[in-house]
Amino acid sequence: MSKQLTNSGLIVVRKLWPAAVLMLAACSGTAGSEDAAGGEGGEGGAGSSGGSTSLKLDRVPDEPLICNDPESLNVTRSAFSRLTNAQYIRTLRDLAAPIALDDDLGLQLPTETADKKGYLNNFEQQGAQAQFVEQYELTARNVAKKITSSLGKIGVSACENPSGAAAQTACATAFIESFGLRAYRRPLSNDEKQSLKALYDASATTWGFSDAMTVLASAMLSAPQVLYLVELGKDDGKGLKLTGYEVGARLSYLFWGTTPDADLLNAAKAGKLDTANGIVAEATRLLEDPKARRGLSEFSAQWLRFAKLSVDSAAVKKDKTRFADYTDAMGKASFAGLQAFVEDALFGDGGGVQKLLGSNKAWVNAASAPLYGLKASGDELKPVDLDPKQRKGFLTQAAVMAGFSHETVHAPVQRGVFVLDHLLCSPPPTPPPGVPGAPPAAATDVETTRQKFVREHESKPDCKACHKRLDDVGFTFENYDALGRWQTTETVGSQKKVLPIDASGALTDTYDADGEFANAIELIEKISKSEQVAQCFVNNFFHYALARDQVQEDGCTLAAAADEVVKNDGSFKSLLLATVKSNQFRYRAPIEQ
């Protein structure tokens, strides 16, 4: 393809992008509860509260919810989010199927930035820079070349063997209609069809059919309508209700992490996604598909900080002198086993936050079994039952304990921060400037890791004030070394002195999980059934599902969803269904003027 033709595709995309950038700046609106009518009673409207006046709003003492009027729409802060790189890559692969795309498809995409909670899809973190246009256009053009080189496989009958100018024009017209529906996740408007057809006509006149189809496909795949979840909604007398196609796209990207399938598009066309009950029915169908595990794993991986755990559990991050028996294969298998554990805990039978924190299983192979004091053969990961006195749930998985550690020693502070921040939504305050890191492990040490931290923090009043609560949680995990192995003693100093482990600790200032604990197992048994943990689970998922920070108007919905999760023993499915029938999921706020 000529350089002139390549540049023409880029010009087309750049003409489309300014409007999207303007929309990005404008599409965060406000629709306060005082301006909204009631929800759809009996269908999960009214913030999914069902009109309840006894919602629990104080499950997270640090961030109590506000619900002044459960019967109001309570919709605000609508996001206009760009697909994550993983979602965009999966979308391109699904749109091109059955044509196989290269493994390195995402290498040219923009670098993503996580928000303060670790999520990649928060619309407020997603800028729109000029270089992004080129990066997306380059990726789209490479995929377009693949598509047009095997055009007969794309599922457009008019393009199976277009011979002659008339047949080729018919192919282009049908491609815009059929492929456009799948790519844009809705029927194209007449203006969109005419614009794309004009692009094809001009390109075909200059470069011929094949190159013109590449330009056409490239422009579509890099269009803002594909890259963003464009949600304008329609006024239904209560507020701006998302159209069936917009809801379908939300469902598909939330559950599957990719573009809607034909059944979902047909459901939108038939009006089945116009009611909460219809949305729940389609959501249930999506959940039963194996793709749901793949798509929803993006949430669990970000919530549970897989990016950190996968990096810090690698062998290169551990001191080979201190841990001579640790290998690359062990680290990789340990993290793969963690992924299998989380998938089963959240998406398997009885999946939810209680199972995530309370299951005694692990997935091991010959490389990772020694981390649990076990023996196994082969490379295949297989589930095993662990000693319930030593292991319970996600927090005691070897990869988690290794991830929240340093190169030579475990890290009580990191472990305590994770529990307080990600599971209880009660993060410790930010350390003041100039506070040193973990106390160094000198060769003459005759103290356990715990004793060093206690000495360090007790000697500094500013540290002690914040660290008392934090350390009391982190110290309960002293039975797990920097590889995540069980230990009852710790060998310290150049003299290899063996000292006993003290894993006692406490949890304070919670809604329902306060107590003193002999070890991590007792702590986990307490928090696994905590309503504060359930509310934090809900808050985190809504943060991800709505692609934005929590705001005051979410209070009614978040409290009602937590009621469902608590009632159903921490069920992830109950949270998913409460989410998709909520007003926050089905409505958007007016665009601010």
Side-chain angles (χ1 to χ4, degrees):
M1 187 180 296
S2 68
K3 182 178 181 181
Q4 183 180 9
L5 176 55
T6 300
N7 289 339
S8 76
L10 181 57
I11 290 170
V12 170
V13 177
R14 284 175 171 163
K15 287 181 178 179
L16 292 172
W17 264 73
V21 175
L22 290 174
M23 289 176 68
L24 179 60
C27 280
S28 173
T30 303
S33 60
E34 66 272 17
D35 297 324
E40 295 181 20
E43 279 207 327
S48 294
S49 69
S52 172
T53 57
S54 59
L55 293 173
K56 290 187 179 181
L57 302 173
D58 58 348
R59 288 187 173 105
V60 177
D62 295 72
E63 298 179 354
L65 302 173
I66 296 174
C67 180
N68 294 325
D69 186 0
E71 297 302 323
S72 294
L73 198 59
N74 290 311
V75 177
T76 188
R77 299 260 301 171
S78 300
F80 179 58
S81 59
R82 191 172 67 238
L83 301 185
T84 65
N85 286 351
Q87 291 171 338
Y88 183 53
I89 292 168
R90 200 173 290 129
T91 295
L92 293 176
R93 293 193 187 283
D94 288 346
L95 290 174
I99 302 169
L101 302 181
D102 298 336
D103 292 338
D104 61 353
L105 184 59
L107 293 181
Q108 296 156 335
L109 293 176
T111 301
E112 294 179 298
T113 302
D115 67 10
K116 61 184 178 181
K117 289 185 176 291
Y119 296 106
L120 296 173
N121 66 338
N122 190 327
F123 83 107
E124 292 182 311
Q125 292 290 124
Q126 297 177 328
Q129 302 173 17
Q131 71 181 85
F132 286 10
V133 179
E134 296 184 11
Q135 291 172 299
Y136 281 115
E137 195 275 342
L138 181 58
T139 301
R141 189 174 70 242
N142 291 338
V143 173
K145 288 179 181 179
K146 290 275 189 179
I147 290 175
T148 53
S149 66
S150 302
L151 201 53
K153 298 180 180 180
I154 206 66
V156 181
S157 58
C159 295
E160 291 178 0
N161 188 25
S163 179
Q168 291 169 353
T169 298
C171 165
T173 301
F175 184 85
I176 292 170
E177 183 91 24
S178 177
F179 189 80
L181 170 64
R182 296 173 54 218
Y184 285 34
R185 306 179 280 272
R186 57 164 174 77
L188 275 63
S189 68
N190 289 332
D191 286 346
E192 288 169 332
K193 293 177 186 178
Q194 291 171 7
S195 177
L196 291 169
K197 179 60 165 53
L199 170 64
Y200 166 79
D201 289 340
S203 301
T205 299
T206 306
W207 301 293
F209 171 71
S210 180
D211 285 350
M213 288 299 295
T214 298
V215 170
L216 175 62
S218 177
M220 295 172 76
L221 292 174
S222 56
Q225 296 92 325
V226 175
L227 294 172
Y228 287 84
L229 288 175
V230 181
E231 299 168 345
L232 301 180
K234 291 185 178 180
D235 192 344
D236 70 346
K238 305 168 187 174
L240 291 178
K241 184 178 179 181
L242 300 188
T243 68
Y245 289 105
E246 291 167 347
V247 169
R250 270 203 175 191
L251 284 173
S252 187
Y253 280 101
L254 178 60
F255 284 56
W256 288 357
T258 189
T259 195
D261 66 355
D263 288 342
L264 201 50
L265 291 172
N266 288 333
K269 181 179 180 180
K272 294 180 179 179
L273 300 180
D274 294 338
T275 67
N277 289 338
I279 294 171
V280 167
E282 278 302 304
T284 302
R285 178 182 71 84
L286 298 183
L287 273 176
E288 293 172 352
D289 191 289
K291 290 194 289 290
R293 294 193 175 201
R294 178 190 68 185
L296 288 167
S297 288
E298 290 189 26
F299 157 69
S300 59
Q302 293 170 43
W303 171 43
L304 299 174
R305 299 193 67 190
F306 273 18
K308 173 178 172 56
L309 301 182
S310 63
V311 171
D312 284 4
S313 65
V316 294
K317 295 293 185 181
K318 299 300 176 185
D319 185 280
K320 293 298 183 67
T321 301
R322 173 72 177 82
F323 301 109
D325 55 345
Y326 193 60
T327 65
D328 290 342
M330 181 181 286
K332 292 177 181 177
S334 179
F335 181 68
L338 174 64
Q339 291 175 302
F341 169 84
V342 171
E343 182 176 310
D344 176 73
L346 289 180
F347 312 125
D349 292 339
V353 69
Q354 287 190 17
K355 186 177 180 182
L356 178 75
L357 295 177
S359 171
N360 289 118
K361 289 190 177 298
W363 271 253
V364 303
N365 63 11
S368 61
L371 292 170
Y372 295 99
L374 303 172
K375 292 183 178 180
S377 60
D379 295 331
E380 182 183 356
L381 292 167
K382 296 180 180 179
V384 296
D385 292 324
L386 303 176
D387 183 347
K389 295 181 180 179
Q390 297 182 4
R391 306 279 179 173
K392 184 175 284 291
F394 174 82
L395 289 172
T396 61
Q397 293 284 301
V400 176
M401 292 290 92
F404 296 124
S405 295
H406 301 298
E407 293 182 359
T408 60
V409 68
H410 56 281
V413 172
Q414 291 186 28
R415 294 170 177 183
V417 167
F418 179 82
V419 173
L420 291 174
D421 191 359
H422 290 256
L423 298 181
L424 288 160
C425 290
S426 181
T430 303
V435 174
T444 57
D445 281 348
V446 291
E447 300 169 299
T448 64
T449 299
R450 176 179 184 143
Q451 289 168 336
K452 282 183 286 189
F453 273 94
V454 169
R455 171 173 52 80
E456 183 76 10
H457 296 156
E458 288 283 340
S459 65
K460 299 176 181 179
D462 289 344
C463 293
K464 180 180 179 180
C466 294
H467 269 279
K468 172 60 177 170
R469 181 174 185 246
L470 174 58
D471 290 351
D472 278 349
V473 175
F475 288 152
T476 65
F477 296 94
E478 290 295 284
N479 286 127
Y480 309 95
D481 71 5
L483 301 187
R485 298 177 301 191
W486 174 262
Q487 60 178 7
T488 57
T489 62
E490 188 175 356
T491 302
V492 302
S494 59
Q495 301 301 313
K496 305 296 183 182
K497 186 174 183 179
V498 178
L499 301 176
I501 290 289
D502 177 5
S504 63
L507 189 56
T508 57
D509 300 326
T510 70
Y511 175 77
D512 58 358
D514 285 5
E516 296 182 353
F517 312 103
N519 49 44
I521 302 302
E522 291 187 5
L523 170 73
I524 293 167
E525 288 175 346
K526 184 77 169 182
I527 66 174
S528 64
K529 297 181 181 179
S530 163
E531 291 191 26
Q532 181 168 342
V533 170
Q535 184 71 71
C536 188
F537 180 42
V538 169
N539 293 358
N540 272 279
F541 186 71
F542 268 84
H543 184 107
Y544 174 80
L546 301 178
R548 60 167 174 77
D549 295 340
Q550 175 184 325
V551 293
Q552 176 177 315
E553 287 81 359
D554 297 328
C556 301
T557 295
L558 294 173
D563 283 350
E564 289 296 310
V565 172
V566 169
K567 182 175 68 176
N568 290 281
D569 299 323
S571 164
F572 193 20
K573 181 178 180 179
S574 70
L575 172 55
L576 292 168
L577 298 185
T579 301
V580 301
K581 66 182 180 180
S582 70
N583 288 333
Q584 273 77 356
F585 193 84
R586 301 170 56 219
Y587 284 80
R588 63 154 293 122
I591 297 174
E592 293 179 336
Q593 300 299 320

